Structures are given as C-alpha cells and as structure tokens.
Amino acid sequence: MAKLLVKLQRYFRRKPVRFFTLLALYLAAGSLVFLHSGFAGEPTVTGTQRGPGAGEGPGLPYLGVMQLSRGFKAAAMMPDGGRRHGPWFKSTSKEPSERAKSADYGSNRSRALRARSGREKEEDRARYIGCYVDNTRRRTLRGVSFFDYKKMTVFRCQDNCAERGYLYAGLEFGAECYCGHKIQASNASESECNMACKGERSNICGGVNRLSIYRLELAQESARRYGSAIFRGCFRRPDNVSIALPISQIMLNMSVDKCVDFCTEKEYPLSALAGTACRCGFPTTLFTLHEREDEQLCAQKCAGEEFESCGSAEYLLVYQTQVQDNRCMDRRFLPTRAKQLVALASFPGAGNTWARHLIELATGFYTGSYYFDGSLYNKGFKGERDHWRSGRTICIKTHESGQKEIESFDSAILLIRNPYKALMAEFNRKYGGHIGFAAHAHWKGKEWPEFVANYAPWWATHTLDWLRYGKKVLVVHFEDLKRDLFVQLQRMVGLLGIAACEDRLLCVEGQKDGNFKRSGLRKLEYDPYTPEMRKMISGYIKTVDTALKLRNLSGVPDDYYPR
C-alpha cells in the first residue's frame, strides 16, 4: 500500500495539471451530493415538537404545556422559511380560470346561479346591490372606469374601486368596470345581467348596458375620497359653530372641490359643507366627528354640481383635506429616564407597528423596540436604535413570550388580533415587507402550510404566557382599537401614565393610518385556510377565550370564529 502511494505521489509530481484536474472533479462531485441532500430532506424547526394532539381543534389541552423556545422563535422569524422542494413552477392544482375553462357553461340561468354563490363568497369585502340600467350618455356610476377584455374579474373591479376610495363598483359587458360614490339610475331585471366575466366565467359581470353593482363594505376603512379629500361623514351642526369651525365663506356656486380647495388654502384639515356655506377648522371637543348622522340628511344637491351633495344649514358634510394636522406630530425622547419598563406586546402580525404609530402621536414620545429594524427607523421610529432598557422611550415593542422575557417588564399592553387575520398579515410581512404582500407562489407553495403549522400554536401561547407571567397587563383587541380608536387609545395612554389630551387624541384619529397600513381591500381571491387549519385554529381561539374569561376579562370578539 505504501509503495502504491509513493508511485502516485511521484506520478502527480511529474503531471501536476492532472492532479489539480482530479481534485477539482472530486470537489465538484462532493458539492453536487451536498446540494442534492439539502433539497431532498424535509426541513426541521428547532424547539417545537408537536404532540399527537397538537392539530386537534376543540379538544385541545391547556396550551401552557406547549413551550415554544427562543430557538423556535428565532427560526420562525428568519426571512426565508423552509426550503421549497422540487421545481417552483410546477403546480398540481389548476388556477380558477383554468378550472373555469374546463367546466360546462351551458345556460345563462346556471351561470347566474353560480354567480350568486360567488357573490355570497364576496360578502366579507363587498355586498351585491343589484342589476342597474346604464347608458353611455348618462353613466350610472360616474367615477373612474377601466376595461380588460381578457382578464376582468369581480374581485379585480372591486379592488381597483376601493383603492381609489369609491363606495360602489359596477361591471358591464363582462369586461368593463365603473366606480362611483352614488348610483344614478333605476333597477333592471336580474336576468338582464347575464354576461360572464372575461377572466372568471363562473361569475356575472353585468350585461348589455346593464351594470352588476357592488357596495364596498370596507370603503370607510379604505377612506372614501373625492379627489384628494377624504370623506368623514354627515354631522349635525355643532352648537358653537363659529368657534368649532372658525373660518367660513359663502359660495353661491358651491361644490365639494371648491370648499375643499378653500380650506386647503387656509391650511385647515377639515372642510365642512353647509348648503352654500363652506366652513373650515380642526376636530376638537366642540366638534369631535364621533356622532355620525344618516347621509340622507346631508343629501341636498350642490348649486355648482348637481351630482354632488353639499349638506344643509343643520347638517354638515365633512371632508378631510390634505393639510396635515400638526397638533399631534411633535415627538421626542423622554426627558428623564423611565422608572418602569412598559411592553407593547403582541403576536407578529397583530398591528404592533400601527399601535406604536398611534401611541407616539397620542403621547408625543418615541416608542422603543426589543429588536432593531432599520426600515422602521428610516420611517420615523427614532426609538428603534435605542437599547430597549435605555429608559428613553414610552414603551417597548416585543413579540417575546417566554417567562424570563415577560418578567423583565413592569407592565404591558397586550395587543390581540384575530388569528386568521394576524397569520395572513405576518405572512405578508415576511414575504412582502411591512406594507407589502406575499406573492401568489408563496401562498400556493409549501411556505404557507408550514407557516400556519408553526405560527398558529404560538398565537395562543403568546397570549397565555403574558396573561400568566405579566405583572400588570392591559388587554386591547386590535378589532376594538380599529372600531373605537379614541376610547381604546385613552386606555392605552392611561396605562403609560400620560394625561390624555382630548384634542390631541382627536388629531390622532385624523392621522391614524400613517404609512404602516396595507390597502383595505387588497385580499386573496380565495380562502388560504384548509378545513384542517381552521379546526386547529378554532381550538386555539377557544383556549385563549377561556383564559381571558377566567381572569374576568372580556373574551375574544365574535368575529374570531369563522362563519
């Protein structure tokens, strides 16, 4: 054997090129074997071992036994999830449009029945109003319009109209989409809306000179707009109107644009139309914008634009201009070191960044973070760079849920969100950024099922751990904060030990979205949750609901449970 090795050594000394060639081939072969084994094996997630009953829904045991280690959380929050196995472009399931092409669409009646079931599925984002007459001279919906003679769908039309702040979306000729704030036509027979959508033949997209119209239920969330102005609603005239809205101008040829432009020029954030009078001001305790009236009370036509409403002397139609309300925009670090550390705790995707934005505007002090996110620092969260124990920030963002980490804080605001929404929001953040969206391939690939399997148990244990180990915990439901921001923000600011200035909180209501919210109606066109996922998540919801009630707190909101 020794003689053989000596002969090889002498040979390669005389032929060094052959030696290096052989070495290169050896390394290349080893690399290929390593890569193959990496893509062939199933991924594992450290720190989480799901027991035999982990996937069971209603019969879940107390989730306190499901300790998710810091190792798990670190792995779960890595930018890249588990590996994708095999070619990414292959798919075993057909797209909706492909399934539609292979189906039988024999009669208009059967297509209408399928469209009705499709409309029921759209209920969470829009409500079907009916079939309406339309003509080219006097359009039923007089906002923007766009056409797509190949790929038009009901969802696409709704999404585009919502993004522009319109209240109604209508489809015609199977390929035309019209948006508007008001329906200005009479009803037609449902049988006259009988044309299939070009991009989704299982649904109806109007007919010949007939519009299938939807009311966008999330239009208030997405901010109804007239040009650059945001519609705030119809309100009764305040008692001290000259004090509440100090600037006024009589306009005989009144229109929404003219009043909004006038108040913008005067640098006021509110524009109120009262018949022929235009008033400007700020939201204050004299005019809070909390008690909205029926919009029909403000339906008096404008003198300068017959298709717009301009309110009346008693009922004002209010718009928010592009002028920034600076009464709540100043922010700074705490002047003295905080004596207590207050956590702003939430499961990822529960709206923590949005809550920080609201707290900073309401208190005038920066919030800190247990982590460091350079993108948030660049967007104005200056407390992001401070160490979380610096004591210079009003509260500390954290997603931690271990006993040691929780007991590091003296008190906490625990923000809880519907797990179905929170999981999707965090998945979008992970693959699309803070206000972006995950790609279609991520939802359809292995990433989404693996994400739900790992993160859904954490949603429950996060809340249970904070309820169990937290010293002084204020529970705030994301849905309640969204629905009644003023009251919930008062509670949060109270825990932080700051005297809440009502005018400042009213200012926050006008600036509530900031740059940290995804567009209201941009959703998936299908439900990403399988029945097995829903069964599992439903069990976690019941466990958290029971834990909250055992501590004499209100349980989870009703809309946590799917219909």
Side-chain angles (χ1 to χ4, degrees):
M1 185 68 182
K3 291 181 179 180
L4 178 62
L5 291 175
V6 170
K7 287 182 180 180
L8 284 174
Q9 185 180 16
R10 289 174 180 173
Y11 174 78
F12 283 123
R13 280 181 180 176
R14 293 195 302 268
K15 306 285 187 180
V17 174
R18 293 184 183 181
F19 172 74
F20 287 113
T21 302
L22 183 63
L23 181 63
L25 289 173
Y26 173 78
L27 292 174
S31 299
L32 288 173
V33 171
F34 175 77
L35 289 172
H36 176 73
S37 64
F39 279 95
E42 287 297 319
T44 58
V45 180
T46 61
T48 174
Q49 296 293 331
R50 298 180 65 195
E56 301 296 328
L60 268 177
Y62 174 66
L63 290 182
V65 302
M66 299 173 58
Q67 295 298 325
L68 305 182
S69 68
R70 289 179 64 86
F72 163 77
K73 281 173 269 187
M77 296 188 71
M78 287 294 287
D80 296 315
R83 293 189 184 93
R84 190 195 305 278
H85 308 296
W88 63 266
F89 49 83
K90 288 185 180 179
S91 176
T92 57
S93 62
K94 293 182 179 180
E95 296 296 319
S97 59
E98 293 175 7
R99 289 197 299 269
K101 288 177 183 176
S102 63
D104 176 27
Y105 304 103
S107 66
N108 287 337
R109 176 174 176 77
S110 64
R111 192 154 56 229
L113 290 173
R114 280 191 293 271
R116 189 172 298 115
S117 66
R119 288 166 189 158
E120 291 171 359
K121 293 177 184 178
E122 301 290 328
E123 281 182 355
D124 63 333
R125 59 170 172 260
R127 180 165 56 90
Y128 179 69
I129 300 297
C131 184
Y132 284 79
V133 176
D134 190 36
N135 66 66
T136 55
R137 293 185 178 180
R138 293 180 66 84
R139 288 291 181 191
T140 303
L141 297 175
R142 301 182 183 179
V144 300
S145 61
F146 71 97
F147 316 122
D148 190 331
Y149 292 96
K150 291 184 178 180
K151 298 181 180 179
M152 179 60 74
T153 66
V154 173
F155 174 83
R156 189 177 178 202
C157 180
Q158 293 172 358
D159 197 26
N160 276 271
C161 292
E163 289 288 336
R164 291 162 175 79
Y166 286 99
L167 185 59
Y168 296 100
L171 297 107
E172 186 174 356
F173 288 111
E176 301 178 4
C177 176
Y178 296 89
C179 310
H181 294 290
K182 188 186 298 185
I183 300 174
Q184 303 181 57
S186 57
N187 285 85
S189 170
E190 285 295 319
S191 61
E192 295 179 51
C193 286
N194 56 11
M195 296 186 71
C197 302
K198 296 295 184 182
E200 186 183 29
R201 299 194 66 81
S202 59
N203 270 337
I204 296 297
C205 284
V208 179
N209 293 328
R210 296 294 183 268
L211 276 174
S212 296
I213 296 182
Y214 293 82
R215 180 184 174 92
L216 306 177
E217 298 297 338
L218 298 181
Q220 288 182 6
E221 235 177 79
S222 304
R224 287 165 56 186
R225 294 178 181 272
Y226 274 75
S228 62
I230 299 173
F231 178 71
R232 296 295 299 269
C234 177
F235 301 90
R236 184 183 294 274
R237 185 187 70 177
D239 293 334
N240 298 314
V241 66
S242 59
I243 299 175
L245 301 168
I247 304 298
S248 64
Q249 176 78 35
I250 299 297
M251 299 180 180
L252 298 178
N253 200 25
M254 174 69 83
S255 71
V256 173
D257 284 342
K258 287 180 180 177
C259 187
V260 168
D261 289 345
F262 172 74
C263 294
T264 301
E265 185 180 340
K266 297 294 183 181
E267 298 186 352
Y268 282 92
L270 292 185
S271 172
L273 292 84
T276 57
C278 174
R279 295 185 175 277
C280 314
F282 293 94
T284 64
T285 52
L286 296 175
F287 193 46
T288 61
L289 303 183
H290 287 166
E291 297 178 4
R292 295 178 62 147
E293 303 286 350
D294 187 337
E295 288 183 31
Q296 292 301 316
L297 297 173
C298 291
Q300 180 177 311
K301 291 183 179 180
C302 294
E305 178 53 70
E306 63 174 316
F307 299 117
E308 292 180 355
S309 297
C310 278
S312 65
E314 290 299 318
Y315 293 94
L316 313 182
L317 209 56
V318 179
Y319 293 84
Q320 185 172 322
T321 71
Q322 283 191 314
V323 175
Q324 188 175 65
D325 189 344
N326 290 320
R327 296 175 299 165
C328 58
M329 299 307 293
D330 59 301
R331 286 169 290 174
R332 62 192 186 281
F333 289 103
L334 292 173
T336 58
R337 183 183 174 88
K339 295 180 181 179
Q340 292 190 329
L341 290 176
V342 183
L344 177 60
S346 74
F347 175 78
N352 199 303
T353 302
W354 181 52
R356 289 178 68 185
H357 166 72
L358 298 176
I359 290 171
E360 289 195 0
L361 294 186
T363 64
F365 297 112
Y366 289 121
T367 58
S369 177
Y370 195 83
Y371 321 97
F372 170 69
D373 188 330
S375 65
L376 290 181
Y377 176 82
N378 293 333
K379 289 181 178 178
F381 288 99
K382 300 303 181 186
E384 194 76 15
R385 288 183 66 175
D386 269 39
H387 188 274
W388 66 279
R389 286 185 178 275
S390 70
R392 297 208 307 159
T393 53
I394 193 69
C395 64
I396 311 298
K397 164 189 173 176
T398 180
H399 299 311
E400 300 300 307
S401 55
Q403 179 179 358
K404 181 180 177 182
E405 288 79 8
I406 292 173
E407 291 179 347
S408 300
F409 294 95
D410 300 293
S411 58
I413 297 169
L414 177 59
L415 191 62
I416 305 175
R417 187 180 186 184
N418 183 327
Y420 294 102
K421 302 290 181 64
L423 289 168
M424 292 179 71
E426 175 59 9
F427 191 73
N428 276 320
R429 185 208 64 79
K430 187 174 182 182
Y431 291 101
H434 281 284
I435 57 174
F437 292 86
H440 183 74
H442 292 134
W443 294 100
K444 286 295 189 181
K446 289 189 175 182
E447 291 92 337
W448 172 243
E450 290 175 356
F451 178 88
V452 172
N454 288 331
Y455 274 65
W458 185 16
W459 176 85
T461 56
H462 182 278
T463 298
L464 296 174
D465 281 356
W466 277 95
L467 292 176
R468 184 177 182 182
Y469 302 119
K471 298 172 186 174
K472 182 181 178 184
V473 179
L474 173 68
V475 174
V476 176
H477 291 285
F478 175 88
E479 292 74 18
D480 293 339
L481 182 61
K482 200 172 174 182
R483 189 182 304 113
D484 193 356
L485 187 143
F486 188 88
V487 171
Q488 296 301 324
L489 199 51
Q490 266 187 326
R491 295 176 62 221
M492 295 163 71
V493 171
L495 181 76
L496 297 172
I498 303 293
C501 172
E502 288 193 28
D503 280 356
R504 189 170 184 116
L505 293 179
L506 291 169
C507 169
V508 176
E509 285 188 311
Q511 319 285 333
K512 62 181 180 180
D513 287 347
N515 299 316
F516 312 102
K517 186 179 176 184
R518 293 181 179 89
S519 57
L521 268 183
R522 187 170 174 184
K523 294 183 180 179
L524 289 175
E525 297 189 38
Y526 59 89
D527 183 1
Y529 291 100
T530 64
E532 293 76 17
M533 291 177 183
R534 288 191 173 275
K535 181 181 179 182
M536 174 180 67
I537 294 171
S538 180
Y540 295 147
I541 291 173
K542 290 176 182 177
T543 302
V544 170
D545 184 61
T546 301
L548 290 169
K549 289 177 179 177
L550 284 174
R551 289 160 177 78
N552 296 321
L553 300 169
S554 59
V556 300
D558 293 336
D559 59 4
Y560 278 29
Y561 295 97
R563 291 175 294 176

